[in-house]
Amino acid sequence: MKNIVVIGAGYAGILTAKKLEKKLRKHEDINISIIDKNPFHTMLTELHEVAANRVEEDSIRISLKKVFAGRKVNVVMDNITKIDFDTKKVIGEEKTYSYDYLVLAAGSKPTYFGTKGAEEFSYKLWSYDDAVILKDRIHEMFRAAACERNIEKKRKLLTFYIVGADFTGVELAGEMAEYAPILCDQYEIDRNLVSIYDVDILPRTVPILPEKLSDKVEKRLTKMGVTVKLNTGVVGIGEDFIELKSGDNVTKHVAGTVVWTAGIESSDVTKNASEVLESAGRGRIKVDKFLRTLDREEVYVV
Ligand SMILES: Cc1cc2nc3c(=O)[nH]c(=O)nc-3n(C[C@H](O)[C@H](O)[C@H](O)COP(=O)(O)OP(=O)(O)OC[C@H]3O[C@@H](n4cnc5c(N)ncnc54)[C@H](O)[C@@H]3O)c2cc1C
């Protein structure tokens, strides 16, 4: 019996397991397992829609049992802590799994580039739980603001900073700008008291886009009431403030909520593996054109 183990049931892991199963279905001697720490797949690309209440929380998570129903794939819930490439074993909190072929598809996690207070005081948007926590936070701020008589305190509660103006940041800023009037109606708050900022150190939004489209994104957000601050770095975040750096100038601003969307790095299990396998730096692993690691021909990274 040959064991194929896929770690991670995100977009990459699911597609890999499905395609392999389709191709190898008739081989009785092949066993495919997909392991994830959650019993569901999270549609990460829709998280901002949950945070701003456009869609129901449960609409962005899909049971893995359902995804693989009728397919010869074992769905396993476990958190993988280590991989032993010499003995070909994947070590989880629940069990150890032997593999003949391994596909590492464990995704990524936010990275803070050592920014003071960022990890402690900002909200993130990189998992189902993050989206639900952020949604609750936004509501909590409007609820508290509705009962606040002091206008400065009210403004602070209603001040939202999004750090990062790449896809995740601008999508969240857009969603929040559309959600703000709904919440203002619900809590009887003047929309002019709500401030939404999107801050990025780069000179334009979503730099992967052609310059013309980046400009369009910026104009559209501005029209929706978002203040887009480009060429602006974030150097510190605290419980109720954010420090911005523009040129040599550092300024401190009140902030009710800061959301960090400014960068990602490999998930822990991949980062650990990158210390053993040939690495491409910063927790990434070098692969060939088949996504196979350079050190171990039975190990793939997607
Ligand atoms: C708000 C938002 C909007 C986005 N919009 C777009 C878009 O429009 N277009 C686009 O192309 N991309 C978009 N992205 C990026 C896209 O979501 C990611 O590139 C994609 O999810 C990566 O897929 P993946 O399978 O590599 O990893 P993931 O989707 O992160 O999946 C990794 C899986 O591995 C599991 N896992 C991790 N570590 C372990 C472990 N130790 N043990 C067990 N399981 C583990 C996780 O639970 C997870 O299920 C967006 C992201 C966000 C957050």
Side-chain angles (χ1 to χ4, degrees):
M1 185 65 89
K2 292 262 181 236
N3 285 324
I4 301 176
V5 172
V6 179
I7 303 177
Y11 299 101
I14 286 186
L15 195 64
T16 306
K18 274 186 159 181
K19 295 235 173 201
L20 285 174
E21 194 268 347
K22 198 169 172 197
K23 224 177 169 69
L24 304 170
R25 194 174 292 163
K26 295 205 178 86
H27 295 254
E28 292 296 330
D29 57 339
I30 292 177
N31 185 30
I32 303 173
S33 300
I34 186 162
I35 307 174
D36 201 286
K37 55 187 166 193
N38 294 314
F40 50 81
H41 164 74
T42 304
M43 295 162 69
L44 284 195
T45 54
E46 319 295 315
L47 290 183
H48 52 293
E49 298 193 9
V50 168
N53 206 33
R54 180 181 297 278
V55 299
E56 288 294 322
E57 292 169 15
D58 280 343
S59 69
I60 65 150
R61 57 181 194 176
I62 308 165
S63 144
L64 291 174
K65 288 253 154 68
K66 279 196 185 136
V67 171
F68 289 102
R71 292 187 165 91
K72 271 177 53 194
V73 174
N74 311 309
V75 175
V76 180
M77 185 168 60
D78 202 348
N79 184 28
I80 302 305
T81 52
K82 202 176 162 219
I83 303 165
D84 186 331
F85 295 102
D86 291 332
T87 58
K88 296 190 190 169
K89 284 193 171 33
V90 165
I91 298 139
E93 285 171 355
E94 303 298 325
K95 259 178 82 177
T96 294
Y97 312 85
S98 296
Y99 66 81
D100 296 287
Y101 293 95
L102 177 67
V103 181
L104 186 48
S108 49
K109 62 173 194 177
T111 186
Y112 299 94
F113 311 109
T115 308
K116 204 175 41 171
E119 187 162 7
E120 191 180 352
F121 294 109
S122 67
Y123 288 75
K124 44 195 164 72
L125 192 61
W126 206 254
S127 71
Y128 175 83
D129 288 344
D130 293 345
V132 174
I133 289 169
L134 180 56
K135 175 171 136 174
D136 290 346
R137 170 73 180 187
I138 294 169
H139 268 266
E140 195 187 307
M141 293 294 100
F142 274 82
R143 218 176 288 129
C147 302
E148 179 57 62
R149 288 192 299 270
N150 179 302
I151 196 77
E152 285 318 311
K153 285 186 184 163
K154 203 174 179 106
R155 275 188 198 281
K156 187 180 88 181
L157 290 165
L158 297 170
T159 300
F160 299 88
Y161 274 85
I162 297 160
V163 185
D166 210 328
F167 275 119
T168 307
V170 300
E171 280 183 318
L172 178 63
E175 284 292 343
M176 284 181 62
E178 290 199 346
Y179 193 31
I182 298 169
L183 287 171
C184 286
D185 266 0
Q186 189 178 334
Y187 291 101
E188 299 182 347
I189 286 172
D190 179 355
R191 169 67 179 89
N192 292 321
L193 294 175
V194 181
S195 305
I196 304 168
Y197 295 90
D198 193 0
V199 184
D200 204 298
I201 196 162
L202 294 178
R204 61 188 177 100
T205 66
V206 200
I208 199 174
L209 294 177
E211 219 158 297
K212 239 178 151 176
L213 282 180
S214 287
D215 289 346
K216 221 171 171 173
V217 170
E218 186 183 343
K219 282 202 184 97
R220 177 81 185 128
L221 284 178
T222 306
K223 203 170 167 197
M224 292 169 87
V226 176
T227 306
V228 182
K229 283 178 167 288
L230 300 172
N231 294 307
T232 306
V234 173
V235 290
I237 298 170
E239 204 172 347
D240 57 1
F241 69 86
I242 185 165
E243 286 172 331
L244 303 179
K245 187 170 184 207
S246 188
D248 290 333
N249 206 14
V250 176
T251 47
K252 192 171 177 176
H253 305 262
V254 289
T257 303
V258 179
V259 189
W260 186 270
T261 70
I264 50 165
E265 62 181 358
S266 298
S267 60
D268 292 335
V269 67
T270 312
K271 203 172 176 183
N272 293 342
S274 78
E275 283 158 19
V276 183
L277 302 173
E278 192 168 337
S279 168
R282 295 193 293 117
R284 295 169 301 161
I285 295 167
K286 275 194 184 162
V287 291
D288 65 13
K289 64 179 178 180
F290 303 109
L291 302 182
R292 194 169 44 185
T293 62
L294 306 187
D295 320 61
R296 306 269 173 176
E297 63 173 20
E298 70 282 7
V299 178
Y300 295 75
V301 184
V302 287

